[in-house]
Amino acid sequence: AQSVTQPDIHITVSEGASLELRCNYSYGATPYLFWYVQSPGQGLQLLLKYFSGDTLVQGIKGFEAEFKRSQSSFNLRKPSVHWSDAAEYFCAVGSSTGYSTLTFGKGTMLLVSP
Amino acid sequence: GAGVSQSPSNKVTEKGKDVELRCDPISGHTALYWYRQSLGQGLEFLIYFQGNSAPDKSGLPSDRFSAERTGGSVSTLTIQRTQQEDSAVYLCASSPRQGHTGELFFGEGSRLTVL
C-alpha cells in the first residue's frame, strides 16, 4: 500500500528565509507525486507535480521540489518565503498503474515570522 | 461556476441526525472524489466515482456513510445517525483524467460539527 510521511507537523520560518518541507513516500513503482497548499478556510490548491522526466520540478508561487528515488523523497523548497506563504502544505502520492486516488500526508503547517 | 462547488459550507447537527453534503464538480470532469479532513489527520479518502463505473467505496469508514452521483455530475455524501467523531471537513474533488491519478481540483469543503 502506498503511504506518505511528512515528519514535520509545524515549521516556523522567518520572512525572507529559505524553506524546505520534507516528504517521504512508500510506493512499489514509480509514483506520481504532488504538493498541495491549503490556506485557512480554503480548499487545496496544486503547487506542483512530478510524473516523469526531470526530477526537479517547478511550481507556482516560486516553489520547486526534487524527486529523489534513492531516498523516496519529494521535498518542497522555496528560496525566500513571503508572509503570504503561511498555510498548510500536503504531499501526496498517486499510482502510475491505474489506481485512481491520491494518498496524502498529514500535512505541515508553515508559520512565517516577521 | 468554474470550480468545484460544495454545500453547505458549514453544518451543525445533533448526534443521531442524518446529514447530506453536496458536491458539484467542474463541468466535464469524469472523476469525483470525497475526502475527509480531520484535525491533525490529513486527508482521508472516502469514495471515488469514475464515469459510469461502480464507485470505489473502500474508504468509507462505516455503513452509516454512503454517496451517490446522479447523471455523472452532482454527488451527495450522506451520513446517517451522525456521531461526534464524524465532525470534520468533507472535501470534494474532481478530475478530468480517467484511469491513472492526475491532478485533483478541490472544493472549499463542508465543515460538519456534530454536537
Side-chain angles (χ1 to χ4, degrees):
Chain A
Q2 56 202 46
S3 66
V4 177
T5 301
Q6 294 180 247
D8 302 306
I9 297 174
H10 295 97
I11 281 186
T12 300
V13 175
S14 298
E15 189 168 17
S18 64
L19 169 70
E20 182 168 29
L21 301 182
R22 295 183 290 165
C23 172
N24 291 97
Y25 67 89
S26 174
Y27 185 67
T30 300
Y32 290 170
L33 294 161
F34 305 81
W35 275 99
Y36 282 83
V37 60
Q38 185 180 35
S39 298
Q42 303 295 311
L44 277 73
Q45 180 185 21
L46 181 72
L47 283 176
L48 47 76
K49 59 188 176 185
Y50 170 80
F51 283 175
S52 65
D54 192 348
T55 56
L56 183 64
V57 293
Q58 303 297 319
I60 62 171
K61 305 184 180 185
F63 285 92
E64 66 178 26
E66 185 171 13
F67 170 57
K68 293 186 177 180
R69 183 188 303 275
S70 62
Q71 298 177 19
S72 298
S73 69
F74 189 57
N75 294 349
L76 181 71
R77 301 193 294 249
K78 186 170 184 178
S80 178
V81 168
H82 188 263
W83 64 267
S84 60
D85 294 324
E88 191 158 22
Y89 292 79
F90 292 93
C91 181
V93 63
S95 168
S96 61
T97 59
Y99 188 68
S100 302
T101 64
L102 297 187
T103 299
F104 286 82
K106 293 188 176 183
T108 297
M109 180 67 72
L110 173 64
L111 305 174
V112 180
S113 61
Chain B
V4 175
S5 178
Q6 292 188 244
S7 61
S9 56
N10 280 285
K11 176 71 176 179
V12 179
T13 191
E14 293 179 346
K15 177 181 174 181
K17 300 283 190 182
D18 297 352
V19 296
E20 287 188 348
L21 307 176
R22 175 189 168 103
C23 173
D24 200 341
I26 293 172
S27 178
H29 281 195
T30 58
L32 186 146
Y33 310 76
W34 283 98
Y35 284 83
R36 178 168 70 176
Q37 184 177 21
S38 304
L39 191 62
Q41 296 301 310
L43 275 75
E44 174 190 11
F45 165 71
L46 297 178
I47 188 168
Y48 157 67
F49 296 89
Q50 172 58 66
N52 295 321
S53 302
D56 176 355
K57 304 179 181 180
S58 60
L60 294 178
S62 78
D63 59 7
R64 296 186 296 104
F65 288 73
S66 63
E68 63 177 21
R69 188 179 185 191
T70 54
S73 181
V74 173
S75 176
T76 302
L77 177 69
T78 300
I79 309 173
Q80 296 179 311
R81 305 180 302 281
T82 52
Q83 304 295 312
Q84 289 183 333
E85 60 263 29
D86 300 333
S87 296
V89 176
Y90 290 82
L91 291 167
C92 177
S94 67
S95 171
R97 292 177 181 266
Q98 298 188 36
H100 70 76
T101 302
E103 176 183 355
L104 302 188
F105 295 79
F106 283 86
E108 295 188 355
S110 292
R111 180 177 297 278
L112 174 65
T113 303
V114 182
L115 301 177

